[in-house]
Amino acid sequence: TTGCSDVATASFNINQSPVASFTSTAPQCATSAIDFTNTGSTGSNWAYSWSFGVGAVPATSTAENPSSIQYSSSGTKTVTLTVTGGGCTQTATQSIVISATPTVGIYTNAPQCTGVPVNFANTGSSTNVTWAWDFGSGATPAVSNDQFPQNVVYSTAGFKGVSLTITDTTSGCSVTEIIPITINQSPTAS
């Protein structure tokens, strides 16, 4: 032992680790817009990378709070947010539920004349759904809950807006389609 000693000093930076967490407006119906909100690290020091899962449009985003993400299909979707900054990274993953939305389609034998029966058919979803028809002004009956309403008679001529709303009884999701039809005035013979 010589009694000598030596001290070395070094300085270094410890970067702040990011926090990755988020919320969303899910669950929603397929084709409904979903918004995502970053609830973790915020500010210009951080970079955000989102992956929204199968069927998402758009599929990815670099926004801090992406909005209006739509899903083309129902089911459980895995959403991932990665926050990066200062050489540090953290990832958060959540599963969200996208509920089934039925499809809607309308077939009709219109145009017809006033007083002549008009028939309608739903060409969309037909299982685990309800139908709500509105046949427009001058129609008897005015509404129906049948999948294939028949013998709707119009007392007035003109363009009619016919709507069909189909609601999935499991998810509660609904979709509406409106089509115009023409009803011609029946002639009077005397």
Side-chain angles (χ1 to χ4, degrees), residues 13-18 45-47 83-89:
N13 288 331
I14 303 294
N15 292 325
Q16 178 68 41
S17 293
N45 296 337
W46 308 108
V83 181
T84 305
C88 301
T89 299

Side-chain angles (χ1 to χ4, degrees), residues 53-77:
V54 176
V57 177
T60 62
S61 176
T62 57
E64 182 176 350
N65 298 300
S67 61
S68 300
I69 309 305
Q70 293 185 323
Y71 289 85
S72 60
S73 61
S74 61
T76 300
K77 310 296 180 177

Side-chain angles (χ1 to χ4, degrees), residues 116-120 140-141 148-153:
V116 176
V118 179
N119 299 324
F120 296 90
T140 303
F148 305 108
Q150 305 292 298
N151 301 316
V152 177
V153 177

Side-chain angles (χ1 to χ4, degrees), residues 6 9 11 17 27 36 53 65 68 76 90 97-98 105 107 121 134 149-150 157 163 175 180-181 185:
D6 192 12
T9 304
S11 62
S17 293
F36 293 88
N65 298 300
S68 300
T76 300
Q90 187 179 52
V97 174
I98 304 300
Y107 169 80
D134 184 330
Q150 305 292 298
S163 72
V175 63
I181 65 168
Q185 182 63 50

Side-chain angles (χ1 to χ4, degrees), residues 8-138:
T9 304
S11 62
F12 52 91
N13 288 331
I14 303 294
N15 292 325
Q16 178 68 41
S17 293
V19 175
S21 62
F22 63 93
T23 61
S24 73
T25 56
Q28 294 285 346
C29 301
T31 70
S32 295
I34 298 179
D35 298 332
F36 293 88
T37 303
N38 167 42
T39 57
S41 297
T42 185
S44 61
N45 296 337
W46 308 108
Y48 306 94
S49 177
W50 294 85
S51 176
F52 300 113
V54 176
V57 177
T60 62
S61 176
T62 57
E64 182 176 350
N65 298 300
S67 61
S68 300
I69 309 305
Q70 293 185 323
Y71 289 85
S72 60
S73 61
S74 61
T76 300
K77 310 296 180 177
T78 301
V79 179
T80 303
L81 167 62
T82 300
V83 181
T84 305
C88 301
T89 299
Q90 187 179 52
T91 300
T93 302
Q94 288 183 22
S95 295
I96 64 170
V97 174
I98 304 300
S99 301
T101 300
T103 60
V104 63
I106 300 174
Y107 169 80
T108 180
N109 66 341
Q112 292 292 353
C113 295
T114 55
V116 176
V118 179
N119 299 324
F120 296 90
N122 162 49
T123 59
S125 298
S126 60
T127 306
N128 298 322
V129 295
T130 59
W131 304 275
W133 294 85
D134 184 330
F135 300 114
S137 64

